[in-house]
Amino acid sequence: MAIVLVRYNIAKGQQPVDKTDRSPPSPKKVWNVTEVPTPEATQIRGPEAPQQLPNYSRDYQDITADTDDDDDQQEQNEQELQAIENLAMEIGDLTANTGHVTTEELLLTAVQQVINRYPEITNDEQREAISNMIIRAALQDCGLTISLSKVRSLWPAVS
């Protein structure tokens, strides 16, 4: 009978089925997850038993007062960073637009006018970074070599 089926399948253009080539099916993995409470969670001991909670309202008010100061400081820092970014962009635009047709005195006067619009920048490290940026921009965009002491003199005194 098997020979007849093989010949019949060949006549129809189908390949004969080879029963010895079958691989066994892979075993299925079954996962079972159960939650088991710990002994500590199920037992309430004497001192851990629910009691009347202490009044923390005074401490809460003190904490909120501290966070208000932190929020004010954070807002001030954000304003300073925004001012630094705006100043850097204005100076970059100034040097790029001025180009090689300016003198050192004209460039320093224009830069000082821009710096004077940002009196909130009082941090020495931030001023130093902006000063270094001014020196690089003057050299790159205008072809002028400006000393650090001249750029530092552009900043208003911190009171």
Side-chain angles (χ1 to χ4, degrees):
M1 174 83 173
I3 296 175
V4 173
L5 284 177
V6 171
R7 287 187 179 174
Y8 176 74
N9 286 337
I10 293 175
K12 288 182 77 177
Q14 297 176 354
Q15 296 292 329
V17 178
D18 185 12
K19 294 185 179 183
T20 60
D21 189 32
R22 290 189 182 175
S23 58
S26 62
K28 291 183 180 180
K29 294 182 181 180
V30 178
W31 293 87
N32 186 11
V33 179
T34 58
E35 188 173 335
V36 179
T38 60
E40 294 84 21
T42 57
Q43 297 176 356
I44 298 179
R45 291 178 227 139
E48 295 175 10
Q51 299 173 356
Q52 184 177 357
L53 296 175
N55 184 3
Y56 290 112
S57 62
R58 182 182 56 83
D59 295 335
Y60 177 74
Q61 292 171 353
D62 292 343
I63 291 171
T64 57
D66 291 343
T67 57
D68 288 343
D69 292 340
D70 292 342
D71 290 343
D72 292 341
Q73 183 65 34
Q74 183 178 3
E75 184 177 328
Q76 183 181 2
N77 290 342
E78 288 175 5
Q79 289 174 351
E80 287 176 6
L81 291 175
Q82 186 65 43
I84 291 168
E85 183 179 344
N86 291 340
L87 174 60
M89 290 178 63
E90 278 192 53
I91 290 174
D93 290 343
L94 175 71
T95 58
N97 292 332
T98 304
H100 291 282
V101 296
T102 189
T103 64
E104 181 178 330
E105 293 78 27
L106 290 175
L107 181 64
L108 290 177
T109 303
V111 168
Q112 187 169 25
Q113 291 173 355
V114 173
I115 287 175
N116 288 338
R117 288 196 294 262
Y118 296 94
E120 63 270 16
I121 300 174
T122 57
N123 184 303
D124 289 335
E125 290 86 14
Q126 294 168 344
R127 285 183 168 195
E128 194 72 15
I130 294 291
S131 296
N132 288 326
M133 188 216 59
I134 292 169
I135 293 169
R136 282 192 306 273
L139 181 62
Q140 180 180 3
D141 296 335
C142 304
L144 298 173
T145 303
I146 302 174
S147 69
L148 184 59
S149 61
K150 286 184 181 180
V151 176
R152 285 180 181 160
S153 69
L154 300 176
W155 292 97
V158 178
S159 53

